[in-house]
PDB file of all heavy atoms in Angstrom:
ATOM      1  N   HIS A 202     -18.829 203.481 156.072  1.00 86.00           N
ATOM      2  CA  HIS A 202     -17.875 204.328 155.387  1.00 86.00           C
ATOM      3  C   HIS A 202     -17.366 205.480 156.301  1.00 86.00           C
ATOM      4  O   HIS A 202     -16.244 206.170 155.933  1.00 86.00           O
ATOM      5  CB  HIS A 202     -18.324 204.869 154.059  1.00 86.00           C
ATOM      6  CG  HIS A 202     -18.333 203.895 152.980  1.00 86.00           C
ATOM      7  ND1 HIS A 202     -17.132 203.631 152.221  1.00 86.00           N
ATOM      8  CD2 HIS A 202     -19.215 202.948 152.635  1.00 86.00           C
ATOM      9  CE1 HIS A 202     -17.455 202.623 151.435  1.00 86.00           C
ATOM     10  NE2 HIS A 202     -18.643 202.166 151.622  1.00 86.00           N
ATOM     11  N   ALA A 203     -17.915 205.746 157.339  1.00 76.00           N
ATOM     12  CA  ALA A 203     -17.588 206.871 158.206  1.00 76.00           C
ATOM     13  C   ALA A 203     -16.909 206.499 159.441  1.00 76.00           C
ATOM     14  O   ALA A 203     -16.822 207.241 160.459  1.00 76.00           O
ATOM     15  CB  ALA A 203     -18.837 207.758 158.452  1.00 76.00           C
ATOM     16  N   SER A 204     -16.618 205.324 159.588  1.00 76.00           N
ATOM     17  CA  SER A 204     -16.279 204.627 160.942  1.00 76.00           C
ATOM     18  C   SER A 204     -14.644 204.383 161.112  1.00 76.00           C
ATOM     19  O   SER A 204     -14.301 204.123 162.182  1.00 76.00           O
ATOM     20  CB  SER A 204     -16.824 203.242 161.005  1.00 76.00           C
ATOM     21  OG  SER A 204     -16.442 202.353 159.970  1.00 76.00           O
ATOM     22  N   ILE A 205     -13.920 204.788 160.126  1.00 82.00           N
ATOM     23  CA  ILE A 205     -12.378 204.644 160.293  1.00 82.00           C
ATOM     24  C   ILE A 205     -11.723 205.961 160.177  1.00 82.00           C
ATOM     25  O   ILE A 205     -11.993 206.837 159.339  1.00 82.00           O
ATOM     26  CB  ILE A 205     -11.924 203.642 159.257  1.00 82.00           C
ATOM     27  CG1 ILE A 205     -12.647 202.324 159.200  1.00 82.00           C
ATOM     28  CG2 ILE A 205     -10.412 203.449 159.223  1.00 82.00           C
ATOM     29  CD1 ILE A 205     -12.281 201.327 158.169  1.00 82.00           C
ATOM     30  N   GLY A 206     -10.838 206.089 161.066  1.00 87.00           N
ATOM     31  CA  GLY A 206      -9.948 207.422 161.083  1.00 87.00           C
ATOM     32  C   GLY A 206      -8.961 207.368 160.069  1.00 87.00           C
ATOM     33  O   GLY A 206      -8.436 206.306 159.638  1.00 87.00           O
ATOM     34  N   LYS A 207      -8.610 208.503 159.527  1.00 90.00           N
ATOM     35  CA  LYS A 207      -7.500 208.773 158.479  1.00 90.00           C
ATOM     36  C   LYS A 207      -6.198 208.308 158.921  1.00 90.00           C
ATOM     37  O   LYS A 207      -5.445 207.537 158.178  1.00 90.00           O
ATOM     38  CB  LYS A 207      -7.559 210.184 157.981  1.00 90.00           C
ATOM     39  CG  LYS A 207      -6.550 210.467 156.866  1.00 90.00           C
ATOM     40  CD  LYS A 207      -6.518 211.909 156.489  1.00 90.00           C
ATOM     41  CE  LYS A 207      -7.824 212.375 155.794  1.00 90.00           C
ATOM     42  NZ  LYS A 207      -7.979 211.814 154.401  1.00 90.00           N
ATOM     43  N   GLU A 208      -5.757 208.766 160.034  1.00 91.00           N
ATOM     44  CA  GLU A 208      -4.359 208.403 160.526  1.00 91.00           C
ATOM     45  C   GLU A 208      -4.285 206.897 160.729  1.00 91.00           C
ATOM     46  O   GLU A 208      -3.194 206.287 160.351  1.00 91.00           O
ATOM     47  CB  GLU A 208      -4.002 209.196 161.797  1.00 91.00           C
ATOM     48  CG  GLU A 208      -3.971 210.731 161.513  1.00 91.00           C
ATOM     49  CD  GLU A 208      -2.926 211.089 160.411  1.00 91.00           C
ATOM     50  OE1 GLU A 208      -1.901 210.487 160.279  1.00 91.00           O
ATOM     51  OE2 GLU A 208      -3.374 211.959 159.605  1.00 91.00           O
ATOM     52  N   GLU A 209      -5.177 206.299 161.342  1.00 90.00           N
ATOM     53  CA  GLU A 209      -5.145 204.854 161.584  1.00 90.00           C
ATOM     54  C   GLU A 209      -5.046 204.152 160.222  1.00 90.00           C
ATOM     55  O   GLU A 209      -4.280 203.195 159.984  1.00 90.00           O
ATOM     56  CB  GLU A 209      -6.376 204.457 162.342  1.00 90.00           C
ATOM     57  CG  GLU A 209      -6.614 202.885 162.502  1.00 90.00           C
ATOM     58  CD  GLU A 209      -7.945 202.575 163.007  1.00 90.00           C
ATOM     59  OE1 GLU A 209      -8.701 203.397 163.297  1.00 90.00           O
ATOM     60  OE2 GLU A 209      -8.205 201.280 163.002  1.00 90.00           O
ATOM     61  N   ALA A 210      -5.944 204.549 159.201  1.00 91.00           N
ATOM     62  CA  ALA A 210      -5.876 203.917 157.824  1.00 91.00           C
ATOM     63  C   ALA A 210      -4.487 204.132 157.257  1.00 91.00           C
ATOM     64  O   ALA A 210      -3.989 203.161 156.569  1.00 91.00           O
ATOM     65  CB  ALA A 210      -6.963 204.483 157.138  1.00 91.00           C
ATOM     66  N   ARG A 211      -3.980 205.277 157.379  1.00 93.00           N
ATOM     67  CA  ARG A 211      -2.609 205.534 156.638  1.00 93.00           C
ATOM     68  C   ARG A 211      -1.498 204.649 157.301  1.00 93.00           C
ATOM     69  O   ARG A 211      -0.632 204.241 156.566  1.00 93.00           O
ATOM     70  CB  ARG A 211      -2.359 206.966 156.762  1.00 93.00           C
ATOM     71  CG  ARG A 211      -3.281 207.865 155.879  1.00 93.00           C
ATOM     72  CD  ARG A 211      -2.677 209.155 155.435  1.00 93.00           C
ATOM     73  NE  ARG A 211      -3.470 209.817 154.509  1.00 93.00           N
ATOM     74  CZ  ARG A 211      -3.086 210.908 153.878  1.00 93.00           C
ATOM     75  NH1 ARG A 211      -1.970 211.543 154.135  1.00 93.00           N
ATOM     76  NH2 ARG A 211      -3.943 211.461 152.848  1.00 93.00           N
TER      77      ARG A 211
END
Side-chain angles (χ1 to χ4, degrees):
H202 281 271
S204 61
I205 300 176
K207 183 183 291 289
E208 293 306 316
E209 174 191 353
R211 291 197 170 192

